[in-house]
Amino acid sequence: MPDMAMAAEAAPLNYFLHSDGPASLPTMHLGWVFTAVVVAVLAIIALLLAGALFRKRTLAAPRTVGRENEGMRWIYIGTGLSTAALFALAVYMLITLDKVAQPTQTPALAVTVTAYDWWWKVEYDDDDPSRRFVTANEIHIPVGRPVRVRLQSADVIHAFWAPRLAGKTQMIPGLQNRQWLQADAEGIYRGQCVQFCGLQHAHMGFEIVAQSPVAFQAWQDAQRKAAAPASEPDVAAGRKFFIEQCAGCHSVRGTEAGGKHAPDLTHLNSRRMLAAGLLTNTAEHRIEWITRVQALKPGARMPAFALTPGETAALSAFLSTLD
């Protein structure tokens, strides 16, 4: 079994203590307030329970019951305080939602993310159709600039969450929701689907790569290019096999492959991960994924292929050119 891909350098719950963007900072503070209130309520209940356990009737009258309304004052006080606290939390939550609803600057670009079972299609929009391109499972953004993200689902209900950059947003078939992201520093930020979407919900991850504006522009320019033409015999043979066996679902710009049901592989090797964060993107893992996809990700819509040694070498040679 190949090594499973790990999230970027961060502990699983680090979003509770760290925020790396203005869209997630108010949400983090809201989480702190809610946690403090929950801890306080638990502490009060524990103290009251302890008091009830240690408070006993006198031995002289063990069955004596006091007045029926003797404790009503405390019930009134508790009900009043609870109502006030819940109302205050509701108001604070609405204030937080208003803060993160819109960015303070005009978004630098717009990205459309479509969730499938189980991968993410990422489309970079542009007023000029010739400058649009598609990638998968990895979203690149410029540092310090807000990015508008349009969210939709192709099949079942998903949920988009990059916890250190923004809150959770539902992705419902037939409905387009919106969110915005902004990273304060360069780095790789882990994201995850947080709505149970089926057998491979746990392996429905993605990465957001925040780059300097110069590096991001260079990445965009490279992504807009078509795949390099095949020349070596092994590469040509691998390309032929790919067109015959894989082009019905996958697309590679610059070739006859134009499938729309699976990730665009034009610049496959520019990505860190495979299979929505399940595997690291190496030559060995690419072949492992192709031949053992149903063992690695049961229920995925891609069938496993039984390859001969010659087909394996040719296909691997072709895929290695998709930079």
Side-chain angles (χ1 to χ4, degrees):
M1 179 71 68
D3 296 335
M4 295 301 166
M6 301 300 291
E9 304 92 18
L13 296 178
N14 70 334
Y15 64 86
F16 184 75
L17 297 175
H18 301 282
S19 166
D20 291 288
S24 63
L25 185 62
T27 306
M28 182 182 69
H29 292 161
L30 179 67
W32 292 354
V33 171
F34 271 63
T35 301
V37 171
V38 169
V39 171
V41 170
L42 288 175
I44 291 171
I45 292 175
L47 290 173
L48 291 175
L49 179 61
L53 291 174
F54 288 104
R55 183 182 179 184
K56 300 178 180 179
R57 297 189 180 97
T58 61
L59 294 177
R63 296 184 177 275
T64 301
V65 178
R67 298 192 308 274
E68 291 184 2
N69 63 347
E70 187 175 359
M72 291 303 295
R73 181 181 63 175
W74 292 107
I75 293 176
Y76 295 147
I77 293 174
T79 301
L81 291 176
S82 299
T83 302
L86 290 173
F87 181 76
L89 288 174
V91 171
Y92 182 43
M93 180 183 67
L94 292 174
I95 293 172
T96 300
L97 289 175
D98 182 66
K99 283 183 178 180
V100 301
Q102 298 292 337
T104 57
Q105 308 174 49
T106 302
L109 73 152
V111 177
T112 299
V113 178
T114 305
Y116 292 81
D117 283 347
W118 286 277
W119 63 284
W120 308 84
K121 179 180 180 181
V122 184
E123 302 173 82
Y124 281 78
D125 305 322
D126 197 285
D127 293 335
D128 182 356
S130 66
R131 295 176 58 81
R132 299 171 187 168
F133 62 92
V134 179
T135 182
N137 301 324
E138 191 173 282
I139 305 171
H140 287 240
I141 62 174
V143 168
R145 298 290 302 279
V147 176
R148 176 69 65 191
V149 184
R150 303 185 184 98
L151 299 169
Q152 56 195 20
S153 174
D155 33 45
V156 301
I157 296 176
H158 297 275
F160 183 90
W161 190 32
R164 292 183 65 164
L165 298 181
K168 305 171 185 176
T169 303
Q170 291 293 100
M171 306 172 77
I172 302 171
L175 177 68
Q176 187 178 92
N177 284 331
R178 296 193 176 193
Q179 188 184 72
W180 65 279
L181 304 169
Q182 180 176 327
D184 292 332
E186 295 183 44
I188 299 171
Y189 301 92
R190 176 75 178 192
Q192 179 68 36
C193 172
V194 286
Q195 173 72 44
F196 181 72
C197 56
L199 185 60
Q200 292 300 317
H201 163 65
H203 297 147
M204 183 71 176
F206 62 93
E207 289 185 335
I208 296 178
V209 182
Q211 301 172 285
S212 68
V214 173
F216 173 72
Q217 187 60 54
W219 176 84
Q220 273 194 316
D221 293 340
Q223 293 292 312
R224 291 189 178 104
K225 297 177 181 177
S231 55
E232 294 82 1
D234 281 354
V235 175
R239 172 171 169 162
K240 182 176 182 295
F241 180 88
F242 183 90
I243 298 300
E244 293 174 349
Q245 301 294 328
C246 311
C249 295
H250 291 282
S251 59
V252 175
R253 283 174 280 125
T255 74
E256 300 91 326
K260 304 296 183 183
H261 304 293
D264 183 302
L265 302 180
T266 306
H267 298 289
L268 169 65
N269 297 322
S270 68
R271 303 169 196 162
R272 285 179 9 106
M273 318 300 281
L274 297 173
L278 180 64
L279 306 171
T280 52
N281 189 1
T282 64
E284 293 78 10
H285 285 178
R286 288 194 289 270
I287 294 300
E288 183 99 15
W289 171 249
I290 292 168
T291 56
R292 300 186 62 244
V293 57
Q294 291 302 322
L296 295 171
K297 206 166 187 177
R301 299 190 179 184
M302 176 177 166
F305 288 85
L307 303 178
T308 66
E311 290 171 339
T312 299
L315 186 56
S316 182
F318 172 65
L319 294 177
S320 68
T321 66
L322 300 179
D323 296 326

